[in-house]
Amino acid sequence: LGIKSDSGRSAVTHRFSAQAVLVVMQVAASVLLLVGAGLLTRTLWHASQVRLGFDPEHTVVASTDFIRQGYEKNAAANLLDPLLDSLAAQPGVESAALGPTPMSANMWTSVKLEGHISGEGKKIGILGSRVSPGYFKTVGIPLLSGRDFTRSDAANAPGAALISETAAGKYWPHESPLGKHIGQVGIHDQTFEIVGVVGDTANYDLRRGPPAIFYFPLDQSYLMFPWQPDVSMLLRGPGGPGQLFGSVRKAVAGVDSALPVFHAQTLREHVAGALGQEKFLAKLLLVFALVAITLAAAGVFGLMSYSTERGTHDFGVRMALGAQSHHVLWLVLRNGLMLALVGLVVGLGAALWLTRLVSSLLFGVTANDSATFAAVAAVTLLVALLACYLPARRATRVDPLMALRSE
């Protein structure tokens, strides 16, 4: 590092080069971890700005299962309306519905779409949701055109369907989809007429755009497929989650006290779960990064303290010959910052290569995001500067007369 000891040789460059290498590696490791944590933190921020397309506040969701409780399919279908009525009748419930949580449409199926040019006469795969009347009001998805589902869309009524705005633009880009038919749906080849268009909702994988969703009335579509999923219940009300969860349990018990209630959570918790892995990794990397940069700062501080102590005579001679305090201060700071700079370069170089491993987790930011790299570089150099400052100040307080007497 260029600071001479009492013996006339460098206090770091020769005898303590191993310690210098260790400090450089500590700085490099902290830089790598800080970059990873920074990229994931920016991902979470960008994800928080995504337009959900629904209102997750004051809403809870829970599930029950008729089939696993021993109900035959037709008997289970007959319980859907009583369950919905029981949910809506609970005190403090503004609206209730049956259907999957937004961002998690629950079925893929092949259908024929009337008027869809590229798919005319051919079956194509669509993403569908089976929902009850009141679903869009309960979760806050706006109706853009046409009408909503009503109780008149019963099992024996003509098939009706709503589609999302993205579905309308994808399959009928230059015309209104209202009145178009969705054919050969399910095991009974049912036909549904599109009666409305609703707003888009975010994808559960926020890195992808809003999905094209086809919504079918639950009463008309519950028996369309050989499998029967859990029945999800959604309740909205001004009370807290505890009150709404209690309402769910009471409503289910009112239909059949033996029915289970599971997967209970707020709709806000469901949304947060979309980035659960990213949040966990960001917190983990941030903890490791803070530990690493603390160790790196301690390493820089310890090495510079030792080297300045070994170079006390050299500093005294310099000051006796006319060197100013700020010259000595800069000399020590420069040597410490050189260590940090080397570690920073090594760490950023490793980050440019290794961040490709987490690129699939990123959203709204690239793996080599310049803002993140610049912020990490600034933080690293600032921490190194602070770690060097106390040893540097100590060096400026050396008494030149005492240093000359010891010569």
Side-chain angles (χ1 to χ4, degrees), residues 47-52 54-61 101-103 139 204 206 234-236 241 245 264-276 279:
S48 70
Q49 307 305 306
V50 170
R51 180 181 175 275
L52 294 176
F54 59 93
D55 181 9
E57 304 302 332
H58 308 295
T59 306
V60 301
V61 59
T101 52
M103 304 169 66
V139 297
Y204 194 75
L206 294 175
L234 298 110
L235 271 72
R236 175 179 291 274
F245 288 138
Q265 62 179 340
T266 66
L267 195 51
R268 173 58 70 184
E269 289 171 337
H270 171 73
V271 172
L275 290 168
K279 289 180 180 178

PDB file of all heavy atoms in Angstrom, residues 47-52 54-61 101-103 139 204 206 234-236 241 245 264-276 279:
ATOM      1  N   ALA A  47     -42.966  -4.661  -9.301  1.00  0.00           N
ATOM      2  CA  ALA A  47     -44.151  -5.509  -9.214  1.00  0.00           C
ATOM      3  C   ALA A  47     -45.262  -4.816  -8.440  1.00  0.00           C
ATOM      4  O   ALA A  47     -46.443  -4.991  -8.748  1.00  0.00           O
ATOM      5  CB  ALA A  47     -43.796  -6.839  -8.562  1.00  0.00           C
ATOM      6  N   SER A  48     -44.895  -4.032  -7.421  1.00  0.00           N
ATOM      7  CA  SER A  48     -45.908  -3.323  -6.635  1.00  0.00           C
ATOM      8  C   SER A  48     -46.627  -2.252  -7.451  1.00  0.00           C
ATOM      9  O   SER A  48     -47.687  -1.778  -7.049  1.00  0.00           O
ATOM     10  CB  SER A  48     -45.270  -2.698  -5.390  1.00  0.00           C
ATOM     11  OG  SER A  48     -44.424  -1.608  -5.755  1.00  0.00           O
ATOM     12  N   GLN A  49     -46.040  -1.862  -8.578  1.00  0.00           N
ATOM     13  CA  GLN A  49     -46.656  -0.839  -9.423  1.00  0.00           C
ATOM     14  C   GLN A  49     -47.560  -1.434 -10.506  1.00  0.00           C
ATOM     15  O   GLN A  49     -48.210  -0.700 -11.251  1.00  0.00           O
ATOM     16  CB  GLN A  49     -45.564   0.011 -10.103  1.00  0.00           C
ATOM     17  CG  GLN A  49     -44.539   0.600  -9.145  1.00  0.00           C
ATOM     18  CD  GLN A  49     -45.166   1.415  -8.041  1.00  0.00           C
ATOM     19  OE1 GLN A  49     -45.935   2.331  -8.302  1.00  0.00           O
ATOM     20  NE2 GLN A  49     -44.833   1.084  -6.797  1.00  0.00           N
ATOM     21  N   VAL A  50     -47.598  -2.763 -10.592  1.00  0.00           N
ATOM     22  CA  VAL A  50     -48.426  -3.411 -11.616  1.00  0.00           C
ATOM     23  C   VAL A  50     -49.905  -3.175 -11.310  1.00  0.00           C
ATOM     24  O   VAL A  50     -50.347  -3.292 -10.158  1.00  0.00           O
ATOM     25  CB  VAL A  50     -48.135  -4.922 -11.676  1.00  0.00           C
ATOM     26  CG1 VAL A  50     -49.155  -5.637 -12.558  1.00  0.00           C
ATOM     27  CG2 VAL A  50     -46.736  -5.167 -12.205  1.00  0.00           C
ATOM     28  N   ARG A  51     -50.659  -2.854 -12.325  1.00  0.00           N
ATOM     29  CA  ARG A  51     -52.101  -2.660 -12.160  1.00  0.00           C
ATOM     30  C   ARG A  51     -52.760  -4.028 -12.023  1.00  0.00           C
ATOM     31  O   ARG A  51     -52.722  -4.852 -12.931  1.00  0.00           O
ATOM     32  CB  ARG A  51     -52.673  -1.918 -13.369  1.00  0.00           C
ATOM     33  CG  ARG A  51     -54.169  -1.677 -13.292  1.00  0.00           C
ATOM     34  CD  ARG A  51     -54.677  -0.961 -14.530  1.00  0.00           C
ATOM     35  NE  ARG A  51     -56.125  -0.838 -14.509  1.00  0.00           N
ATOM     36  CZ  ARG A  51     -56.960  -1.777 -14.932  1.00  0.00           C
ATOM     37  NH1 ARG A  51     -56.482  -2.915 -15.411  1.00  0.00           N
ATOM     38  NH2 ARG A  51     -58.268  -1.597 -14.876  1.00  0.00           N
ATOM     39  N   LEU A  52     -53.364  -4.277 -10.868  1.00  0.00           N
ATOM     40  CA  LEU A  52     -53.954  -5.589 -10.605  1.00  0.00           C
ATOM     41  C   LEU A  52     -55.244  -5.805 -11.391  1.00  0.00           C
ATOM     42  O   LEU A  52     -55.560  -6.926 -11.789  1.00  0.00           O
ATOM     43  CB  LEU A  52     -54.239  -5.737  -9.110  1.00  0.00           C
ATOM     44  CG  LEU A  52     -53.014  -5.765  -8.182  1.00  0.00           C
ATOM     45  CD1 LEU A  52     -53.475  -5.810  -6.733  1.00  0.00           C
ATOM     46  CD2 LEU A  52     -52.111  -6.941  -8.507  1.00  0.00           C
ATOM     47  N   PHE A  54     -58.147  -5.443 -10.044  1.00  0.00           N
ATOM     48  CA  PHE A  54     -59.184  -5.752  -9.055  1.00  0.00           C
ATOM     49  C   PHE A  54     -58.773  -5.110  -7.733  1.00  0.00           C
ATOM     50  O   PHE A  54     -57.656  -4.600  -7.592  1.00  0.00           O
ATOM     51  CB  PHE A  54     -59.377  -7.262  -8.888  1.00  0.00           C
ATOM     52  CG  PHE A  54     -58.134  -7.993  -8.447  1.00  0.00           C
ATOM     53  CD1 PHE A  54     -57.878  -8.238  -7.108  1.00  0.00           C
ATOM     54  CD2 PHE A  54     -57.215  -8.457  -9.383  1.00  0.00           C
ATOM     55  CE1 PHE A  54     -56.737  -8.905  -6.705  1.00  0.00           C
ATOM     56  CE2 PHE A  54     -56.073  -9.136  -8.989  1.00  0.00           C
ATOM     57  CZ  PHE A  54     -55.830  -9.355  -7.650  1.00  0.00           C
ATOM     58  N   ASP A  55     -59.676  -5.136  -6.768  1.00  0.00           N
ATOM     59  CA  ASP A  55     -59.423  -4.500  -5.473  1.00  0.00           C
ATOM     60  C   ASP A  55     -59.224  -5.568  -4.402  1.00  0.00           C
ATOM     61  O   ASP A  55     -60.189  -6.244  -4.013  1.00  0.00           O
ATOM     62  CB  ASP A  55     -60.602  -3.605  -5.107  1.00  0.00           C
ATOM     63  CG  ASP A  55     -60.398  -2.884  -3.772  1.00  0.00           C
ATOM     64  OD1 ASP A  55     -59.275  -2.950  -3.222  1.00  0.00           O
ATOM     65  OD2 ASP A  55     -61.362  -2.273  -3.278  1.00  0.00           O
ATOM     66  N   PRO A  56     -58.001  -5.750  -3.908  1.00  0.00           N
ATOM     67  CA  PRO A  56     -57.754  -6.822  -2.938  1.00  0.00           C
ATOM     68  C   PRO A  56     -58.090  -6.452  -1.489  1.00  0.00           C
ATOM     69  O   PRO A  56     -57.983  -7.299  -0.603  1.00  0.00           O
ATOM     70  CB  PRO A  56     -56.248  -7.079  -3.093  1.00  0.00           C
ATOM     71  CG  PRO A  56     -55.696  -5.741  -3.471  1.00  0.00           C
ATOM     72  CD  PRO A  56     -56.752  -5.077  -4.310  1.00  0.00           C
ATOM     73  N   GLU A  57     -58.486  -5.222  -1.250  1.00  0.00           N
ATOM     74  CA  GLU A  57     -58.713  -4.784   0.128  1.00  0.00           C
ATOM     75  C   GLU A  57     -60.073  -5.258   0.651  1.00  0.00           C
ATOM     76  O   GLU A  57     -61.038  -5.390  -0.106  1.00  0.00           O
ATOM     77  CB  GLU A  57     -58.626  -3.256   0.216  1.00  0.00           C
ATOM     78  CG  GLU A  57     -57.314  -2.681  -0.299  1.00  0.00           C
ATOM     79  CD  GLU A  57     -56.097  -3.224   0.429  1.00  0.00           C
ATOM     80  OE1 GLU A  57     -56.229  -3.597   1.616  1.00  0.00           O
ATOM     81  OE2 GLU A  57     -55.021  -3.297  -0.178  1.00  0.00           O
ATOM     82  N   HIS A  58     -60.142  -5.502   1.969  1.00  0.00           N
ATOM     83  CA  HIS A  58     -61.383  -5.855   2.670  1.00  0.00           C
ATOM     84  C   HIS A  58     -62.046  -7.096   2.079  1.00  0.00           C
ATOM     85  O   HIS A  58     -63.281  -7.217   2.090  1.00  0.00           O
ATOM     86  CB  HIS A  58     -62.369  -4.686   2.629  1.00  0.00           C
ATOM     87  CG  HIS A  58     -61.796  -3.393   3.103  1.00  0.00           C
ATOM     88  ND1 HIS A  58     -61.376  -3.191   4.405  1.00  0.00           N
ATOM     89  CD2 HIS A  58     -61.520  -2.225   2.446  1.00  0.00           C
ATOM     90  CE1 HIS A  58     -60.904  -1.967   4.534  1.00  0.00           C
ATOM     91  NE2 HIS A  58     -60.963  -1.372   3.360  1.00  0.00           N
ATOM     92  N   THR A  59     -61.241  -8.019   1.568  1.00  0.00           N
ATOM     93  CA  THR A  59     -61.777  -9.230   0.945  1.00  0.00           C
ATOM     94  C   THR A  59     -60.985 -10.436   1.417  1.00  0.00           C
ATOM     95  O   THR A  59     -59.752 -10.384   1.496  1.00  0.00           O
ATOM     96  CB  THR A  59     -61.717  -9.142  -0.592  1.00  0.00           C
ATOM     97  OG1 THR A  59     -62.374  -7.950  -1.024  1.00  0.00           O
ATOM     98  CG2 THR A  59     -62.383 -10.339  -1.239  1.00  0.00           C
ATOM     99  N   VAL A  60     -61.690 -11.497   1.735  1.00  0.00           N
ATOM    100  CA  VAL A  60     -61.031 -12.744   2.132  1.00  0.00           C
ATOM    101  C   VAL A  60     -61.472 -13.854   1.190  1.00  0.00           C
ATOM    102  O   VAL A  60     -62.513 -13.759   0.526  1.00  0.00           O
ATOM    103  CB  VAL A  60     -61.351 -13.124   3.593  1.00  0.00           C
ATOM    104  CG1 VAL A  60     -60.903 -12.029   4.555  1.00  0.00           C
ATOM    105  CG2 VAL A  60     -62.839 -13.437   3.780  1.00  0.00           C
ATOM    106  N   VAL A  61     -60.673 -14.916   1.159  1.00  0.00           N
ATOM    107  CA  VAL A  61     -60.989 -16.077   0.330  1.00  0.00           C
ATOM    108  C   VAL A  61     -60.723 -17.330   1.150  1.00  0.00           C
ATOM    109  O   VAL A  61     -59.796 -17.379   1.962  1.00  0.00           O
ATOM    110  CB  VAL A  61     -60.159 -16.069  -0.973  1.00  0.00           C
ATOM    111  CG1 VAL A  61     -58.663 -16.085  -0.658  1.00  0.00           C
ATOM    112  CG2 VAL A  61     -60.525 -17.253  -1.855  1.00  0.00           C
ATOM    113  N   THR A 101     -59.735 -17.185  -6.999  1.00  0.00           N
ATOM    114  CA  THR A 101     -59.162 -15.872  -6.734  1.00  0.00           C
ATOM    115  C   THR A 101     -58.648 -15.264  -8.025  1.00  0.00           C
ATOM    116  O   THR A 101     -58.178 -15.986  -8.919  1.00  0.00           O
ATOM    117  CB  THR A 101     -58.000 -15.988  -5.734  1.00  0.00           C
ATOM    118  OG1 THR A 101     -57.093 -16.981  -6.196  1.00  0.00           O
ATOM    119  CG2 THR A 101     -58.502 -16.350  -4.360  1.00  0.00           C
ATOM    120  N   PRO A 102     -58.743 -13.943  -8.176  1.00  0.00           N
ATOM    121  CA  PRO A 102     -58.164 -13.308  -9.361  1.00  0.00           C
ATOM    122  C   PRO A 102     -56.688 -13.667  -9.475  1.00  0.00           C
ATOM    123  O   PRO A 102     -56.021 -13.928  -8.478  1.00  0.00           O
ATOM    124  CB  PRO A 102     -58.358 -11.814  -9.082  1.00  0.00           C
ATOM    125  CG  PRO A 102     -59.482 -11.745  -8.113  1.00  0.00           C
ATOM    126  CD  PRO A 102     -59.367 -12.965  -7.261  1.00  0.00           C
ATOM    127  N   MET A 103     -56.177 -13.667 -10.680  1.00  0.00           N
ATOM    128  CA  MET A 103     -54.803 -14.039 -10.988  1.00  0.00           C
ATOM    129  C   MET A 103     -54.601 -15.552 -11.005  1.00  0.00           C
ATOM    130  O   MET A 103     -53.492 -16.029 -11.188  1.00  0.00           O
ATOM    131  CB  MET A 103     -53.795 -13.403 -10.018  1.00  0.00           C
ATOM    132  CG  MET A 103     -53.864 -11.893  -9.921  1.00  0.00           C
ATOM    133  SD  MET A 103     -52.895 -11.233  -8.562  1.00  0.00           S
ATOM    134  CE  MET A 103     -51.223 -11.641  -9.047  1.00  0.00           C
ATOM    135  N   VAL A 139     -64.862  -8.854  -6.135  1.00  0.00           N
ATOM    136  CA  VAL A 139     -63.407  -8.666  -6.266  1.00  0.00           C
ATOM    137  C   VAL A 139     -63.048  -7.343  -6.935  1.00  0.00           C
ATOM    138  O   VAL A 139     -61.861  -7.001  -7.026  1.00  0.00           O
ATOM    139  CB  VAL A 139     -62.766  -9.845  -7.026  1.00  0.00           C
ATOM    140  CG1 VAL A 139     -62.946 -11.129  -6.263  1.00  0.00           C
ATOM    141  CG2 VAL A 139     -63.315  -9.961  -8.445  1.00  0.00           C
ATOM    142  N   TYR A 204     -50.793 -14.209 -12.425  1.00  0.00           N
ATOM    143  CA  TYR A 204     -50.124 -14.590 -11.178  1.00  0.00           C
ATOM    144  C   TYR A 204     -48.613 -14.492 -11.344  1.00  0.00           C
ATOM    145  O   TYR A 204     -47.904 -14.147 -10.405  1.00  0.00           O
ATOM    146  CB  TYR A 204     -50.513 -16.012 -10.766  1.00  0.00           C
ATOM    147  CG  TYR A 204     -50.135 -16.325  -9.339  1.00  0.00           C
ATOM    148  CD1 TYR A 204     -50.880 -15.806  -8.278  1.00  0.00           C
ATOM    149  CD2 TYR A 204     -49.033 -17.109  -9.042  1.00  0.00           C
ATOM    150  CE1 TYR A 204     -50.540 -16.069  -6.960  1.00  0.00           C
ATOM    151  CE2 TYR A 204     -48.683 -17.374  -7.720  1.00  0.00           C
ATOM    152  CZ  TYR A 204     -49.438 -16.864  -6.690  1.00  0.00           C
ATOM    153  OH  TYR A 204     -49.088 -17.115  -5.383  1.00  0.00           O
ATOM    154  N   LEU A 206     -46.318 -12.143 -12.587  1.00  0.00           N
ATOM    155  CA  LEU A 206     -46.407 -10.733 -12.953  1.00  0.00           C
ATOM    156  C   LEU A 206     -45.497 -10.363 -14.106  1.00  0.00           C
ATOM    157  O   LEU A 206     -45.620  -9.283 -14.679  1.00  0.00           O
ATOM    158  CB  LEU A 206     -46.075  -9.865 -11.731  1.00  0.00           C
ATOM    159  CG  LEU A 206     -47.072  -9.958 -10.575  1.00  0.00           C
ATOM    160  CD1 LEU A 206     -46.586  -9.151  -9.391  1.00  0.00           C
ATOM    161  CD2 LEU A 206     -48.458  -9.503 -11.003  1.00  0.00           C
ATOM    162  N   LEU A 234     -65.436 -16.130  -1.760  1.00  0.00           N
ATOM    163  CA  LEU A 234     -64.888 -14.790  -1.570  1.00  0.00           C
ATOM    164  C   LEU A 234     -65.915 -13.912  -0.881  1.00  0.00           C
ATOM    165  O   LEU A 234     -67.086 -13.889  -1.283  1.00  0.00           O
ATOM    166  CB  LEU A 234     -64.491 -14.173  -2.912  1.00  0.00           C
ATOM    167  CG  LEU A 234     -63.400 -14.926  -3.680  1.00  0.00           C
ATOM    168  CD1 LEU A 234     -64.007 -15.576  -4.918  1.00  0.00           C
ATOM    169  CD2 LEU A 234     -62.271 -14.006  -4.076  1.00  0.00           C
ATOM    170  N   LEU A 235     -65.467 -13.201   0.161  1.00  0.00           N
ATOM    171  CA  LEU A 235     -66.347 -12.304   0.903  1.00  0.00           C
ATOM    172  C   LEU A 235     -65.701 -10.933   1.013  1.00  0.00           C
ATOM    173  O   LEU A 235     -64.508 -10.825   1.285  1.00  0.00           O
ATOM    174  CB  LEU A 235     -66.614 -12.833   2.322  1.00  0.00           C
ATOM    175  CG  LEU A 235     -67.802 -13.775   2.519  1.00  0.00           C
ATOM    176  CD1 LEU A 235     -67.494 -15.131   1.902  1.00  0.00           C
ATOM    177  CD2 LEU A 235     -68.127 -13.920   4.001  1.00  0.00           C
ATOM    178  N   ARG A 236     -66.512  -9.915   0.808  1.00  0.00           N
ATOM    179  CA  ARG A 236     -66.063  -8.544   0.994  1.00  0.00           C
ATOM    180  C   ARG A 236     -66.907  -7.878   2.070  1.00  0.00           C
ATOM    181  O   ARG A 236     -68.135  -8.056   2.098  1.00  0.00           O
ATOM    182  CB  ARG A 236     -66.170  -7.746  -0.314  1.00  0.00           C
ATOM    183  CG  ARG A 236     -65.834  -6.249  -0.158  1.00  0.00           C
ATOM    184  CD  ARG A 236     -65.931  -5.516  -1.494  1.00  0.00           C
ATOM    185  NE  ARG A 236     -64.868  -5.944  -2.387  1.00  0.00           N
ATOM    186  CZ  ARG A 236     -63.647  -5.427  -2.410  1.00  0.00           C
ATOM    187  NH1 ARG A 236     -63.333  -4.445  -1.568  1.00  0.00           N
ATOM    188  NH2 ARG A 236     -62.745  -5.871  -3.249  1.00  0.00           N
ATOM    189  N   PRO A 241     -60.356  -9.079   8.790  1.00  0.00           N
ATOM    190  CA  PRO A 241     -60.301 -10.447   8.265  1.00  0.00           C
ATOM    191  C   PRO A 241     -60.868 -11.470   9.241  1.00  0.00           C
ATOM    192  O   PRO A 241     -61.534 -12.424   8.823  1.00  0.00           O
ATOM    193  CB  PRO A 241     -58.804 -10.669   8.028  1.00  0.00           C
ATOM    194  CG  PRO A 241     -58.241  -9.301   7.839  1.00  0.00           C
ATOM    195  CD  PRO A 241     -59.048  -8.414   8.736  1.00  0.00           C
ATOM    196  N   PHE A 245     -63.573 -14.206   8.191  1.00  0.00           N
ATOM    197  CA  PHE A 245     -63.285 -15.642   8.263  1.00  0.00           C
ATOM    198  C   PHE A 245     -64.333 -16.346   9.124  1.00  0.00           C
ATOM    199  O   PHE A 245     -64.755 -17.469   8.819  1.00  0.00           O
ATOM    200  CB  PHE A 245     -61.889 -15.881   8.837  1.00  0.00           C
ATOM    201  CG  PHE A 245     -60.774 -15.522   7.891  1.00  0.00           C
ATOM    202  CD1 PHE A 245     -59.651 -14.856   8.357  1.00  0.00           C
ATOM    203  CD2 PHE A 245     -60.847 -15.835   6.548  1.00  0.00           C
ATOM    204  CE1 PHE A 245     -58.616 -14.523   7.506  1.00  0.00           C
ATOM    205  CE2 PHE A 245     -59.825 -15.503   5.683  1.00  0.00           C
ATOM    206  CZ  PHE A 245     -58.701 -14.844   6.154  1.00  0.00           C
ATOM    207  N   ALA A 264     -57.716 -20.505   3.954  1.00  0.00           N
ATOM    208  CA  ALA A 264     -58.264 -19.186   4.286  1.00  0.00           C
ATOM    209  C   ALA A 264     -57.145 -18.146   4.308  1.00  0.00           C
ATOM    210  O   ALA A 264     -56.128 -18.324   4.975  1.00  0.00           O
ATOM    211  CB  ALA A 264     -58.974 -19.236   5.628  1.00  0.00           C
ATOM    212  N   GLN A 265     -57.346 -17.064   3.581  1.00  0.00           N
ATOM    213  CA  GLN A 265     -56.390 -15.962   3.567  1.00  0.00           C
ATOM    214  C   GLN A 265     -57.073 -14.712   3.041  1.00  0.00           C
ATOM    215  O   GLN A 265     -58.158 -14.795   2.444  1.00  0.00           O
ATOM    216  CB  GLN A 265     -55.173 -16.293   2.692  1.00  0.00           C
ATOM    217  CG  GLN A 265     -55.515 -16.527   1.230  1.00  0.00           C
ATOM    218  CD  GLN A 265     -54.288 -16.837   0.379  1.00  0.00           C
ATOM    219  OE1 GLN A 265     -53.162 -16.541   0.752  1.00  0.00           O
ATOM    220  NE2 GLN A 265     -54.511 -17.453  -0.784  1.00  0.00           N
ATOM    221  N   THR A 266     -56.464 -13.576   3.282  1.00  0.00           N
ATOM    222  CA  THR A 266     -56.999 -12.353   2.690  1.00  0.00           C
ATOM    223  C   THR A 266     -56.587 -12.306   1.217  1.00  0.00           C
ATOM    224  O   THR A 266     -55.602 -12.938   0.812  1.00  0.00           O
ATOM    225  CB  THR A 266     -56.474 -11.107   3.399  1.00  0.00           C
ATOM    226  OG1 THR A 266     -55.057 -10.997   3.175  1.00  0.00           O
ATOM    227  CG2 THR A 266     -56.746 -11.176   4.903  1.00  0.00           C
ATOM    228  N   LEU A 267     -57.335 -11.549   0.442  1.00  0.00           N
ATOM    229  CA  LEU A 267     -56.992 -11.415  -0.971  1.00  0.00           C
ATOM    230  C   LEU A 267     -55.663 -10.678  -1.122  1.00  0.00           C
ATOM    231  O   LEU A 267     -54.899 -10.937  -2.061  1.00  0.00           O
ATOM    232  CB  LEU A 267     -58.112 -10.677  -1.714  1.00  0.00           C
ATOM    233  CG  LEU A 267     -58.094 -10.756  -3.246  1.00  0.00           C
ATOM    234  CD1 LEU A 267     -57.975 -12.189  -3.723  1.00  0.00           C
ATOM    235  CD2 LEU A 267     -59.342 -10.106  -3.833  1.00  0.00           C
ATOM    236  N   ARG A 268     -55.347  -9.779  -0.193  1.00  0.00           N
ATOM    237  CA  ARG A 268     -54.057  -9.089  -0.206  1.00  0.00           C
ATOM    238  C   ARG A 268     -52.920 -10.088   0.005  1.00  0.00           C
ATOM    239  O   ARG A 268     -51.870  -9.989  -0.645  1.00  0.00           O
ATOM    240  CB  ARG A 268     -54.039  -8.010   0.866  1.00  0.00           C
ATOM    241  CG  ARG A 268     -52.711  -7.324   1.067  1.00  0.00           C
ATOM    242  CD  ARG A 268     -52.210  -6.670  -0.191  1.00  0.00           C
ATOM    243  NE  ARG A 268     -52.983  -5.500  -0.569  1.00  0.00           N
ATOM    244  CZ  ARG A 268     -52.771  -4.802  -1.688  1.00  0.00           C
ATOM    245  NH1 ARG A 268     -51.810  -5.183  -2.541  1.00  0.00           N
ATOM    246  NH2 ARG A 268     -53.518  -3.752  -1.972  1.00  0.00           N
ATOM    247  N   GLU A 269     -53.107 -11.059   0.881  1.00  0.00           N
ATOM    248  CA  GLU A 269     -52.088 -12.098   1.097  1.00  0.00           C
ATOM    249  C   GLU A 269     -51.916 -12.954  -0.151  1.00  0.00           C
ATOM    250  O   GLU A 269     -50.804 -13.373  -0.478  1.00  0.00           O
ATOM    251  CB  GLU A 269     -52.475 -12.977   2.285  1.00  0.00           C
ATOM    252  CG  GLU A 269     -52.357 -12.278   3.627  1.00  0.00           C
ATOM    253  CD  GLU A 269     -52.943 -13.082   4.764  1.00  0.00           C
ATOM    254  OE1 GLU A 269     -53.819 -13.951   4.496  1.00  0.00           O
ATOM    255  OE2 GLU A 269     -52.553 -12.854   5.923  1.00  0.00           O
ATOM    256  N   HIS A 270     -52.999 -13.208  -0.843  1.00  0.00           N
ATOM    257  CA  HIS A 270     -52.916 -13.964  -2.099  1.00  0.00           C
ATOM    258  C   HIS A 270     -52.067 -13.218  -3.123  1.00  0.00           C
ATOM    259  O   HIS A 270     -51.223 -13.815  -3.797  1.00  0.00           O
ATOM    260  CB  HIS A 270     -54.317 -14.208  -2.650  1.00  0.00           C
ATOM    261  CG  HIS A 270     -54.336 -14.780  -4.037  1.00  0.00           C
ATOM    262  ND1 HIS A 270     -53.995 -16.088  -4.308  1.00  0.00           N
ATOM    263  CD2 HIS A 270     -54.638 -14.203  -5.235  1.00  0.00           C
ATOM    264  CE1 HIS A 270     -54.090 -16.305  -5.617  1.00  0.00           C
ATOM    265  NE2 HIS A 270     -54.479 -15.182  -6.192  1.00  0.00           N
ATOM    266  N   VAL A 271     -52.273 -11.912  -3.219  1.00  0.00           N
ATOM    267  CA  VAL A 271     -51.486 -11.107  -4.153  1.00  0.00           C
ATOM    268  C   VAL A 271     -50.015 -11.127  -3.754  1.00  0.00           C
ATOM    269  O   VAL A 271     -49.131 -11.284  -4.602  1.00  0.00           O
ATOM    270  CB  VAL A 271     -52.023  -9.657  -4.196  1.00  0.00           C
ATOM    271  CG1 VAL A 271     -51.096  -8.773  -5.020  1.00  0.00           C
ATOM    272  CG2 VAL A 271     -53.436  -9.633  -4.772  1.00  0.00           C
ATOM    273  N   ALA A 272     -49.757 -10.978  -2.459  1.00  0.00           N
ATOM    274  CA  ALA A 272     -48.372 -10.979  -1.982  1.00  0.00           C
ATOM    275  C   ALA A 272     -47.678 -12.300  -2.279  1.00  0.00           C
ATOM    276  O   ALA A 272     -46.473 -12.344  -2.518  1.00  0.00           O
ATOM    277  CB  ALA A 272     -48.336 -10.689  -0.483  1.00  0.00           C
ATOM    278  N   GLY A 273     -48.449 -13.393  -2.285  1.00  0.00           N
ATOM    279  CA  GLY A 273     -47.864 -14.705  -2.555  1.00  0.00           C
ATOM    280  C   GLY A 273     -47.323 -14.849  -3.960  1.00  0.00           C
ATOM    281  O   GLY A 273     -46.506 -15.735  -4.225  1.00  0.00           O
ATOM    282  N   ALA A 274     -47.766 -13.966  -4.871  1.00  0.00           N
ATOM    283  CA  ALA A 274     -47.275 -14.045  -6.250  1.00  0.00           C
ATOM    284  C   ALA A 274     -45.779 -13.785  -6.329  1.00  0.00           C
ATOM    285  O   ALA A 274     -45.119 -14.192  -7.287  1.00  0.00           O
ATOM    286  CB  ALA A 274     -48.031 -13.045  -7.134  1.00  0.00           C
ATOM    287  N   LEU A 275     -45.232 -13.079  -5.339  1.00  0.00           N
ATOM    288  CA  LEU A 275     -43.801 -12.769  -5.337  1.00  0.00           C
ATOM    289  C   LEU A 275     -43.132 -13.301  -4.064  1.00  0.00           C
ATOM    290  O   LEU A 275     -42.141 -12.751  -3.612  1.00  0.00           O
ATOM    291  CB  LEU A 275     -43.597 -11.253  -5.447  1.00  0.00           C
ATOM    292  CG  LEU A 275     -43.952 -10.654  -6.804  1.00  0.00           C
ATOM    293  CD1 LEU A 275     -43.987  -9.141  -6.712  1.00  0.00           C
ATOM    294  CD2 LEU A 275     -42.960 -11.085  -7.868  1.00  0.00           C
ATOM    295  N   GLY A 276     -43.682 -14.378  -3.516  1.00  0.00           N
ATOM    296  CA  GLY A 276     -43.136 -14.924  -2.289  1.00  0.00           C
ATOM    297  C   GLY A 276     -41.687 -15.355  -2.413  1.00  0.00           C
ATOM    298  O   GLY A 276     -40.858 -15.073  -1.535  1.00  0.00           O
ATOM    299  N   LYS A 279     -39.404 -12.274  -2.628  1.00  0.00           N
ATOM    300  CA  LYS A 279     -39.275 -11.593  -1.340  1.00  0.00           C
ATOM    301  C   LYS A 279     -38.329 -12.346  -0.417  1.00  0.00           C
ATOM    302  O   LYS A 279     -37.487 -11.744   0.254  1.00  0.00           O
ATOM    303  CB  LYS A 279     -40.652 -11.458  -0.686  1.00  0.00           C
ATOM    304  CG  LYS A 279     -41.569 -10.456  -1.355  1.00  0.00           C
ATOM    305  CD  LYS A 279     -42.904 -10.386  -0.648  1.00  0.00           C
ATOM    306  CE  LYS A 279     -43.814  -9.367  -1.323  1.00  0.00           C
ATOM    307  NZ  LYS A 279     -45.150  -9.319  -0.683  1.00  0.00           N
TER     308      LYS A 279
END
